[in-house]
Amino acid sequence: MDRQEVRPTPPFEEQQEHAPDMGGGLPVIEYWAEHTIAPKGAKLWQTLLHKSACLSCSWGTGGQKGGFTNEEGEKLQRCMKSVEAIYAEVQPPISTEFFERQTISKLQQLTSQEADRLGRWSYPVILREGNSHYQRLGWEEIYQLAETAFKREPKRVASYSSGRSSNEAAFLLQLMMRTLGSNNLADCSDLCHAPSTFGLKQMFGTSTSVVSLKSLKQADCIVLAGSNAAYNHPRLMNELIKLRDRGGKVIVINPVMETGLVKFGSPAFVKSLLVGSDISSLFLQPIPGSDVALFVGIQKALIERGAIAQEFLQAHTENWQQVITHAQETDWETIVSTCGITQAEIEAAAAIVADSQKVVFAWAMGITQQQNGVDNVYSIGNTALLTGNIGREGTGVMPVRGHSNVQGFGSMGVTVNLKQEIQQALEKLLGKSLSRVQGYDAQALIEAADAGKVDTLICVGGNLYAANPNTKKVKRALGKIQTIIYLATKPNLGHFHGLAKENTIVIPVLNRFENPHKTTVESGNNFVRLNDEGKTHLADADLIAEVDFLSELAHRLHGDYPVNWRKLQDTKYVRQLIAQTIPGFEQMANIDETKEEFTIGGRIFTEPKFSTPSGKASMFITPLPELTLPEPKDFNVADNARSVVVALMTGRSYAQHNTVVYRTADKYRGIPHRNCILMNRSDAESVGLEEHQRATVRGNAGELENIEIIFGAVRPGAALMFYPEVNVIFNAPLETRSGTPAFKRVPAVVFAES
């Protein structure tokens, strides 16, 4: 295949090869110098300044305060992740002749980066059963096919979504599906922070962060666990830099000693940009999956120091005695052997927490994507409660979520676990009872599809194919669905591999800053931003806004019952319905007039009154995991092979957003391309493997050959490979309470023939 045909837009790294390497080679929020973005400079700058929220992570910036301003009014709040995301959206359109030339089999040879660089979807297409090419089709046929597909038995109709879209589209999606009688509202959050949602709800009665940005600025210690914020949430690093500058401490917990979590250079601060800023005060590298043991150890050390907030526990928590007894009765030898951190290091962490007045506990997917992810969240919450570090300014628990509006989708009711108060409000709005049948989350959806139980699937953004483990199985499962409809701005691997049995339809949609409607999104810290209307640069494209497509489809399915669906194309009206039905969003009713963005009510805890039936926080005993690894022979590796079994973690590279890859190399980890495994030198050399040697990596579902071994700062016994490519080799066990796959502890063998 002609690479020039399939990648008409220059890859991002070619735009940056002469960009300055700032911060002395540190991972930085790279400065978007004019020459770096010259090919699309005017449109990119216009978009950066547009009054809409950042497209990238959930940390959130922009909106009515302007594209570079956060909710506290601070300027220079854009990062390279934001620039990369916008750059991808201002690409030229895919030509009308492109799919006439390229067969689906050729498109399936593309990498994630190459698929993204094809350009923007600019007209609707369909791949029909038995055909080898996507073909253009008209809107009336689209609606006819979609209407027929959605009139299947409700339990056989499903949706999947990502945080790319708006609150208004999310509300419409779940309203349409629930009116249909289906609760199969799978979401990308099922694959990442569902343990946070479940665990926090059980403990505190809320499913989100209880810390605002304003509150975070008052902390004098942050415990950051299972996160590489330097790569995935660069602007959070600004808060860590400011905390260190005011004398605070940062404890980092990560099996990989990431360069940017040790030292980071930010262009938001001149000194930091020039010489870099120290980040971690203490860096702990536990065994993957052992976080409960580490936090129980910190609790034990705090108890032994007499640093427990006894009066707070008695007044504001339940089950605290059992949690203290559990920590006391767990011996140090078991704790240390389970987590791989010495008692002295654990006691040092406890001392920092004990000596700090205000501590925020933050975490990401290294905590949640484990087989005991909910227990991990419980153990963090327990530690916060034991020390009284919740329920006042500058303290609390703060899951650091991924996509920019992933939390908003959950708030709008895109979930298989709908809150009772929302269900009751929706039933009042619709004038009918809603189904109580348990819906499919993301993993359950794949299982149901593979069992032939799903006929119709609509994907509002996202990449269901590549985001799941065992992509071979996912491809097979999706291939059993009769009709799949993708709403997307750009191509991804799912559009070429996640193909339906009969009809695969791709609907090209407008992105956030192009939308003709005002829309809203929600940050990971519960701040709602209003996005102004915009205009696309794709002058002759045949695009549609998601709310327009969803409301028209709903009208064709339901007529004018039980609501006027076509009226919902007016997003102001949608926001009024949101204000009526979604707790904490009452201010949404007037946001069009006031332009006042807001923090969602009832979520930020500045006093120890929790949203539980008793008003107290619930604490939970967290059993230590039993962590073992199989032997090479369990993977059918030859006895004479040089082989070592590792706890493999999946991760994103420096220039990557979810499954979208912007650059192939990861210079801060020293990884030159995507087909590499980052290993500890001692693990490799113990069996005669050398750096840069090519090896095979095998999991329980497949293998990848010709993988280059790279030595790096990963703890012994662990290794890291890039997601989504590595997903093909493993079936991950699930966190049974949340349905989340354990991406961060995958037993795998690395071997080379002798």
Side-chain angles (χ1 to χ4, degrees), residues 210 215 312 316 390-393 395 603-611 615:
V210 304
S215 180
F312 177 91
H316 304 297
I390 192 165
R392 53 193 174 95
E393 293 280 2
T395 69
R603 295 190 182 177
I604 305 301
F605 294 162
T606 55
E607 55 183 358
K609 295 180 181 178
F610 304 106
S611 303

Side-chain angles (χ1 to χ4, degrees), residues 470 635 696-704 726-731:
N470 196 349
F635 293 92
T696 299
V697 181
R698 180 178 295 170
N700 62 2
E703 65 180 36
L704 289 169
V726 72
N727 291 4
V728 70
I729 75 168
F730 64 90
N731 267 315

Side-chain angles (χ1 to χ4, degrees), residues 598-651:
F598 61 92
T599 296
I600 300 163
R603 295 190 182 177
I604 305 301
F605 294 162
T606 55
E607 55 183 358
K609 295 180 181 178
F610 304 106
S611 303
T612 58
S614 67
K616 296 183 176 183
S618 297
M619 300 178 71
F620 294 86
I621 292 175
T622 53
L624 272 62
E626 297 182 4
L627 302 175
T628 60
L629 289 172
E631 298 293 329
K633 64 181 180 181
D634 297 319
F635 293 92
N636 296 318
V637 174
D639 291 339
N640 63 345
R642 290 166 289 160
S643 61
V644 60
V645 176
V646 295
L648 181 66
M649 301 169 288
T650 71

Side-chain angles (χ1 to χ4, degrees), residues 104 125-129 131-134 499 502-504:
I104 194 66
V125 295
I126 185 171
L127 183 68
R128 304 179 195 271
E129 183 178 14
N131 285 10
S132 58
H133 293 71
Y134 268 115
L499 305 176
E502 293 183 1
N503 294 312
T504 305

